[in-house]
């Protein structure tokens, strides 16, 4: 009799986006004349930068021509992309990352989800609350947690992110082995200073722990004092893996390209206390289970680093940051406490009531969809997340409606 992986039965069904969809459908059926503006799901709305489109087209033409055709590529990604990433995203900012420490993939979701499998089944994990749910659910699937009770899994060290700590978690009081951090943060939109990040790097070095640093939103950091990579912090190469994505940087959510940085100095230990290269382990895993990102997509991603590509990506990010500034200004003027939206596309708003009540209020009175904070963890209750990923016109319309509804 074939048996299932029973850890899957511990997973709490994620009703967040289906519940949102149900409520939106019910509202639209009851109010067919009203259009709904969606500032909920974190998906981009603008087209790919022209430099990426041009490179994409050209690479597709290469595939039509036997002389330039590409079959299987290197699993870790083509050198042209890995070199461009190392030089532009890291070396230019003083972070000494080499091209062969970069693993190109089809998404930061897969990488942040898959990375845990190279570590021990009984590794102690620390996960922020609220959080991008992938980190938690993949550890539940792997059996690193007990059952869920009152909204929290047994065996997980939760790192509370609340107004009291400026949504930056304190170091754990008990020893942990794997630490998930995400900055600029989804869902709170907060960023971390170099000093605050250094405290985590020091903790990891002292405790022989590893930090899994999700920097999927780094392109939104415009303040030069805020680190865009954990490797800007001294010593981080010994203790951190960083995840990046072209999804939000360059509108690749539907095109799919991302990368993970695993420095060669990063070590983890076996039961006997012998050190093993995490780079070698991830390389083994990646080559066994992944066959590389398509050539045209990698060419499109590499175009992000051309002169035109850089300018176009900057324009794209500035566009969404301008939306975020409008949302910040309008919600603050209405008297709400909020964070995020200045170096991030997300604004985290204290709704002063239950998350879902505030969600319903915005939907029913303003026809605007946000995301209830409770869906990201118990510390998210009372908050909503508003996303800046929409057209300027829709953001302005949504804010005018909210102003009218809440005045
Ligand atoms: N990490 C965070 C924090 C995210 O919010 C998202 C997507 O919303 C991802 C990773 C996934 O990125 P990708 O599209 O590269 O899979």
């Amino acid at each position: 009799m074939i048996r299932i992986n029973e850890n899957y039965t511990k997973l709490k069904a994620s009703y967040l986006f289906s519940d949102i969809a149900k409520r939106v459908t019910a509202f639209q059926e009851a109010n067919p004349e009203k259009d709904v503006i969606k500032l909920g799901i974190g998906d981009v709305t603008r087209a790919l930068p022209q430099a990426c489109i041009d490179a994409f087209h050209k690479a597709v033409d290469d595939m039509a021509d036997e002389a330039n055709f590409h079959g299987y590529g290197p699993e870790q990604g083509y050198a042209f992309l890995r070199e461009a990433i190392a030089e532009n995203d890291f070396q230019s900012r003083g972070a000494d990352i080499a091209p062969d420490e970069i693993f190109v993939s089809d998404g930061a979701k897969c990488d942040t989800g898959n990375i845990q499998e190279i570590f021990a089944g009984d590794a102690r994990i620390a996960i922020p609350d609220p959080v991008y749910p992938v980190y938690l659910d993949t550890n539940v699937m792997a059996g690193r947690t007990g059952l869920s009770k009152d909204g929290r899994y047994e065996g997980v060290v939760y790192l509370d992110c609340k107004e009291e700590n400026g949504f930056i978690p304190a170091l754990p009081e008990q020893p942990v082995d794997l630490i998930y951090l995400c900055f600029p943060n989804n869902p709170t939109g907060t960023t971390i200073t170099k000093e605050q990040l250094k405290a985590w790097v020091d903790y990891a070095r002292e405790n022989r722990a590893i930090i899994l640093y999700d920097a999927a939103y780094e392109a939104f950091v415009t303040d030069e004092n805020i680190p865009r990579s954990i490797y800007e912090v001294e010593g981080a190469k010994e203790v951190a893996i960083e995840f990046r994505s072209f999804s939000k940087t360059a509108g690749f959510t539907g095109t799919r390209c991302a990368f993970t940085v695993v420095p060669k100095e990063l070590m983890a230990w076996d039961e006997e206390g012998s050190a093993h290269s995490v780079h070698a382990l991830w390389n083994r895993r990646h080559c066994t289970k992944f066959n590389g990102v398509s050539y045209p997509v990698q060419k499109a991603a590499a175009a992000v680093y051309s002169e035109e590509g850089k300018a176009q990506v900057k324009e794209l990010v500035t566009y969404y940051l301008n939306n975020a500034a409008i949302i910040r200004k309008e919600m603050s003027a209405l008297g709400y406490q909020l964070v995020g939206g200045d170096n991030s596309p997300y604004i985290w708003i204290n709704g002063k009531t239950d998350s879902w009540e505030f969600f319903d209020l915005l939907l029913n009175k303003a026809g605007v969809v946000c995301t209830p904070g409770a869906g990201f963890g118990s510390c998210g209750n009372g908050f909503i997340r508003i996303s800046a990923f929409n057209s300027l016109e829709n953001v302005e319309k949504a804010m005018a409606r909210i102003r009218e509804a809440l005045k």
Side-chain angles (χ1 to χ4, degrees):
M1 177 179 71
I2 177 67
R3 291 184 45 219
I4 61 161
N5 173 352
E6 292 194 25
N7 294 314
Y8 276 62
T9 65
K10 295 182 204 159
L11 287 167
K12 284 181 291 154
S14 173
Y15 294 121
L16 180 62
F17 289 105
S18 60
D19 275 359
I20 291 174
K22 265 188 230 154
R23 288 178 198 223
V24 173
T25 306
F27 174 80
Q28 283 175 317
E29 278 168 9
N31 304 277
E33 74 294 351
K34 289 200 180 141
D35 71 315
V36 168
I37 302 175
K38 294 184 177 163
L39 300 177
I41 289 180
D43 195 0
V44 294
T45 54
R46 295 191 66 203
L48 291 180
Q50 191 58 42
C52 300
I53 289 292
D54 292 344
F56 214 168
H57 276 298
K58 186 172 177 310
V60 171
D61 287 341
D62 286 349
M63 299 301 266
D65 164 14
E66 246 162 62
N68 294 314
F69 171 81
H70 285 72
Y72 288 123
E75 288 97 338
Q76 302 88 343
Y78 284 103
F80 64 76
L81 179 56
R82 297 169 93 196
E83 282 163 12
I85 291 169
E87 187 187 326
N88 291 281
D89 282 340
F90 298 101
Q91 293 160 7
S92 70
R93 298 189 61 83
D96 176 28
I97 294 295
D100 64 355
E101 293 176 311
I102 289 159
F103 294 84
V104 176
S105 78
D106 61 357
K109 184 181 200 176
C110 326
D111 288 352
T112 54
N114 290 329
I115 195 80
Q116 48 72 34
E117 73 174 68
I118 61 171
F119 299 107
D122 59 358
R124 298 161 296 187
I125 54 165
I127 295 191
D129 177 358
V131 75
Y132 175 58
V134 172
Y135 317 148
L136 189 56
D137 285 359
T138 51
N139 276 289
V140 174
M141 291 170 176
R144 280 193 198 88
T145 75
L147 297 175
S148 169
K149 281 202 184 126
D150 304 323
R152 288 196 154 183
Y153 288 98
E154 291 168 332
V156 174
V157 174
Y158 285 90
L159 305 170
D160 289 354
C161 301
K162 298 180 167 179
E163 267 166 355
E164 296 88 279
N165 56 17
F167 303 95
I168 304 291
L171 297 173
E173 278 156 19
Q174 58 275 69
V176 296
D177 306 307
L178 268 186
I179 301 155
Y180 289 82
L181 294 178
C182 171
F183 291 104
N185 189 260
N186 178 14
T188 69
T190 46
T191 52
I192 193 163
T193 66
K194 223 180 219 182
E195 293 66 41
Q196 287 167 326
L197 198 48
K198 181 161 189 316
W200 281 99
V201 168
D202 291 346
Y203 172 93
R205 290 172 86 180
E206 278 153 29
N207 292 278
R208 296 209 283 183
I210 284 182
I211 298 170
L212 303 173
Y213 192 74
D214 188 342
Y217 297 93
E218 61 75 35
F220 293 84
V221 174
T222 52
D223 183 338
E224 275 304 312
N225 297 316
I226 296 172
R228 292 172 73 153
S229 164
I230 194 167
Y231 305 119
E232 290 174 42
V233 175
E234 202 198 320
K237 281 183 76 182
E238 287 166 36
V239 289
I241 292 173
E242 182 165 303
F243 304 94
R244 293 273 188 109
S245 174
F246 293 97
S247 283
K248 310 300 160 76
T249 307
F252 272 56
T253 52
T255 305
R256 312 305 303 145
C257 197
F259 59 92
T260 290
V261 185
V262 189
K264 296 217 194 78
E265 348 0 16
L266 192 65
M267 293 292 152
W269 290 265
D270 64 22
E271 244 176 337
E272 271 80 51
S274 303
H276 294 258
S277 156
V278 175
H279 182 277
L281 290 174
W282 183 246
N283 190 48
R284 188 74 172 84
R285 189 258 166 223
H286 195 75
C287 295
T288 302
K289 296 195 176 180
F290 187 66
N291 238 348
V293 173
S294 82
Y295 168 75
V297 168
Q298 292 193 60
K299 276 287 183 187
V304 163
Y305 301 103
S306 65
E307 283 316 307
E308 320 82 84
K310 282 181 195 167
Q312 289 160 7
V313 161
K314 195 163 176 218
E315 193 273 323
L316 199 61
V317 165
T318 306
Y319 181 91
Y320 290 127
L321 282 174
N322 179 51
N323 286 350
I326 293 169
I327 298 166
R328 270 182 72 92
K329 185 168 144 253
E330 293 286 347
M331 295 306 287
S332 297
L334 287 167
Y336 290 97
Q337 294 291 327
L338 52 83
V339 289
D342 42 7
N343 288 281
S344 152
Y346 297 126
I347 299 97
W348 188 242
I349 299 162
N350 186 341
K352 298 182 279 194
T353 179
D354 173 82
S355 290
W356 280 104
E357 263 175 41
F358 198 53
F359 170 90
D360 285 336
L361 180 76
L362 293 187
L363 176 61
N364 296 321
K365 288 188 124 190
V368 174
V369 182
C370 65
T371 311
F376 298 102
S378 51
C379 291
N381 199 15
F383 290 82
I384 56 156
R385 186 191 76 176
I386 297 190
S387 151
F389 293 124
N390 211 315
S391 66
L392 171 63
E393 192 193 2
N394 275 345
V395 166
E396 283 177 337
K397 199 151 85 171
M399 289 301 122
R401 287 198 205 162
I402 291 177
R403 215 166 40 227
E404 191 58 27
L406 301 183
K407 75 178 178 196

